[in-house]
Amino acid sequence: MTDRIATYVYARDAISKAGVTSQLHCCPDITIVDDAQLDTAQVAVVVTDVLDDETLRVLRGLRRGGVPGTVLVAAMIDDSAVVAAAEAGVCGMLRRSEATPAALGRACARVARGQGEVPADLLGHLLDQVGKLQRHVLAPRGLTFAGLTARETEVLRLVADGHGTAEIASQLCYSERTVKNVLHEVTTRLQLRNRSHAVAYAVREGLI
């Protein structure tokens, strides 16, 4: 079936890998891919006891390698593991004790659709951490989770509307030098080529 979710399973030990692979074989919407087919994987399931540095390297490597979504299955998942996993790009998390075929299949399906899966008892803690990050780290620097300041967003919106530097400066009551500095800061920080690339990036990411 072409509509099955291509899923890659990683574990350090063969027993863990075989166990989770066997569980996923019970899911009619999942098809397992091996190392040779990794570039076709829609979801990668990483199995471990604890979220240590080596596991984080694997998770980041899978994301850099082009796997769209990752699911972490770990024996222990606490507040710090949830935050670290999220920073590594993990979209779904399951405790090994809760990793039934149905739960694994649901997590893979949700991640493949661009959604998330987090143990319910840890979701509140994750939201609390997100709030603290916004209040104590981003807000004091004038940033939001979008990665842009309010001023940068205003400038990019006007660029997207076709306005030149002088027009933007006039509308926002800035100097032309300030407008140029804002655009330079955005393109440098986000590693973009020019103002057109910055606008395209902002639109694609839903920032403006």
Side-chain angles (χ1 to χ4, degrees), residues 52 122 172:
D52 54 15
L122 292 174
L172 298 180

Side-chain angles (χ1 to χ4, degrees), residues 45-96:
V45 178
V46 175
V47 188
T48 187
D49 287 327
V50 295
L51 186 59
D52 54 15
D53 289 343
E54 182 176 344
T55 305
L56 287 170
R57 281 194 294 272
V58 170
L59 290 166
R60 294 185 183 112
L62 288 167
R63 293 288 287 179
R64 286 196 301 270
V67 178
T70 50
V71 175
L72 174 69
V73 179
M76 295 176 55
I77 301 179
D78 56 16
D79 293 358
S80 60
V82 170
V83 174
E87 290 174 345
V90 171
C91 303
M93 287 172 251
L94 283 173
R95 293 187 177 94
R96 290 183 74 160

Side-chain angles (χ1 to χ4, degrees), residues 6-168:
T7 304
Y8 174 77
V9 179
Y10 171 88
R12 291 182 211 173
D13 64 283
I15 293 177
S16 294
K17 181 172 183 175
V20 170
T21 300
S22 177
Q23 297 273 62
L24 287 170
H25 274 308
C26 298
C27 303
D29 296 330
I30 302 289
T31 185
I32 302 297
V33 299
D34 58 20
D35 291 344
Q37 302 167 301
L38 181 56
D39 60 342
T40 68
Q42 297 166 264
V43 177
V45 178
V46 175
V47 188
T48 187
D49 287 327
V50 295
L51 186 59
D52 54 15
D53 289 343
E54 182 176 344
T55 305
L56 287 170
R57 281 194 294 272
V58 170
L59 290 166
R60 294 185 183 112
L62 288 167
R63 293 288 287 179
R64 286 196 301 270
V67 178
T70 50
V71 175
L72 174 69
V73 179
M76 295 176 55
I77 301 179
D78 56 16
D79 293 358
S80 60
V82 170
V83 174
E87 290 174 345
V90 171
C91 303
M93 287 172 251
L94 283 173
R95 293 187 177 94
R96 290 183 74 160
S97 60
E98 300 167 347
T100 63
L104 283 165
R106 181 179 65 249
C108 289
R110 287 179 63 84
V111 169
R113 293 195 299 266
Q115 300 171 350
E117 181 83 9
V118 180
D121 60 300
L122 292 174
L123 185 56
H125 296 294
L126 177 59
L127 293 175
D128 182 57
Q129 292 292 327
V130 169
K132 288 178 179 176
L133 178 62
Q134 173 64 43
R135 290 192 301 273
H136 301 304
V137 179
L138 297 179
R141 293 166 174 78
L143 295 172
T144 66
F145 277 104
L148 299 175
T149 66
R151 183 164 67 172
E152 290 167 348
T153 301
E154 287 178 330
V155 170
L156 283 178
R157 282 179 178 151
L158 290 172
V159 172
D161 289 339
H163 297 290
T165 301
E167 292 176 296
I168 295 171

